[in-house]
């Protein structure tokens, strides 16, 4: 139990940015977890390591970690961790190649991630995947799907009264509208984002996937 709490405490750091020592700390915890033979906690620790690597844009290492998480999640029947792995693959691939074929592959990965969640509520995780899906589609300049997915992310965040989630979704919506030159539509969305994120120390920047 103490080790599980240590993993969760370390994982919280991702909400505050990515400390330089996040990945090494999580890897060290992973080694301790392996010694107690808990496959679920081991897989969860690797999943947090994956998202530390994704946020640090360590693309090769992130992809390898995502493959590892997908395998252990399938073996343990952990659908929510499998979803995290597939979303991590999709986001990583969208950052490393922008070919039309890659766009289809990225879309397929995110669709598999959402499908892995099935009918489970897991609304915070679902909103995060929809948000990352929108970001990935924006990189490929697929504005309609990007808007559709970020609108879903915002709607889910509203359901759970996640003000930060709604604000960052609105910020991304404004970015999509700006990129497709819909400036008149963008302005009220941007104002909404600023209102929702008021009071957050960084204005929500730490939660936004900077392009």
């Amino acid at each position: 139990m103490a080790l599980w709490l240590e993993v969760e405490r370390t994982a919280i750091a991702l909400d505050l940015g990515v400390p330089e020592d996040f990945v090494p700390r999580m890897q060290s915890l992973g080694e301790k977890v392996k010694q107690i033979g808990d496959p679920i906690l081991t897989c969860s620790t690797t999943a947090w390591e994956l998202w530390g690597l994704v946020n640090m844009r360590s693309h090769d290492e992130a992809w390898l970690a995502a493959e590892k998480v997908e395998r252990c999640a399938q073996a343990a029947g952990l659908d929510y961790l499998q979803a995290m792995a597939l979303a991590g693959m999709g986001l990583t691939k969208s950052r490393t190649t922008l070919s039309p074929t890659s766009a289809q592959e990225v879309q397929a990965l995110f669709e598999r991630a959402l499908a892995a969640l099935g009918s489970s509520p897991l609304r915070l995780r679902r909103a995060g995947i929809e948000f990352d899906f929108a970001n990935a589609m924006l990189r490929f300049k697929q504005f309609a799907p990007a808007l559709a997915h970020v609108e879903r992310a915002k709607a889910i965040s509203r359901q759970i009264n996640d003000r930060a989630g709604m604000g960052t979704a609105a910020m991304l919506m404004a970015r999509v509208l700006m990129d497709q030159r819909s400036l008149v539509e963008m302005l009220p969305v941007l104002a909404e984002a600023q209102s929702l994120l008021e009071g957050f120390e960084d204005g929500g920047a730490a939660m936004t996937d900077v392009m």
Side-chain angles (χ1 to χ4, degrees), residues 2 7 25 33 38-39 91 97 126-127 136 144 149 151 159 165 167 191 207:
V7 170
R25 284 172 62 194
V33 171
D38 185 334
L91 195 55
T97 178
R126 193 179 297 275
H149 288 291
E151 284 169 356
Q159 290 172 8
M207 293 170 282

Side-chain angles (χ1 to χ4, degrees), residues 4-159:
W4 178 84
L5 288 173
E6 190 175 353
V7 170
E8 291 301 307
R9 258 198 314 266
T10 304
I12 288 172
L14 277 181
D15 291 333
L16 307 173
V18 188
E20 289 184 4
D21 64 343
F22 178 84
V23 171
R25 284 172 62 194
M26 199 58 79
Q27 289 172 336
S28 176
L29 285 170
E31 291 302 316
K32 293 179 183 178
V33 171
K34 285 178 186 176
Q35 293 174 14
I36 64 173
D38 185 334
I40 294 177
L41 187 54
T42 298
C43 198
S44 180
T45 303
T46 308
W48 285 120
E49 178 189 337
L50 158 64
W51 281 96
L53 291 166
V54 167
N55 282 285
M56 292 170 63
R57 297 176 184 264
S58 298
H59 303 311
D60 291 342
E61 293 88 345
W63 187 269
L64 291 173
E67 290 181 328
K68 189 175 180 181
V69 174
E70 186 185 18
R71 287 194 298 270
C72 68
Q74 284 182 330
L78 301 171
D79 294 341
Y80 66 98
L81 289 184
Q82 186 179 3
M84 286 179 71
L86 291 165
M89 288 179 182
L91 195 55
T92 299
K93 194 170 191 65
S94 76
R95 289 172 171 173
T96 54
T97 178
L98 294 175
S99 70
T101 302
S102 295
Q104 295 171 2
E105 292 171 350
V106 167
Q107 184 170 355
L109 285 165
F110 275 107
E111 287 172 350
R112 286 177 60 199
L114 291 169
L117 294 179
S119 59
S120 303
L122 294 171
R123 287 180 289 185
L124 188 61
R125 185 151 293 157
R126 193 179 297 275
I129 292 173
E130 291 282 10
F131 181 88
D132 289 335
F133 199 164
N135 248 314
M137 291 298 96
L138 179 55
R139 285 193 181 85
F140 292 103
K141 299 190 182 303
Q142 296 192 10
F143 300 126
L147 277 175
H149 288 291
V150 75
E151 284 169 356
R152 287 176 201 161
K154 187 180 177 187
I156 296 168
S157 295
R158 185 180 294 111
Q159 290 172 8

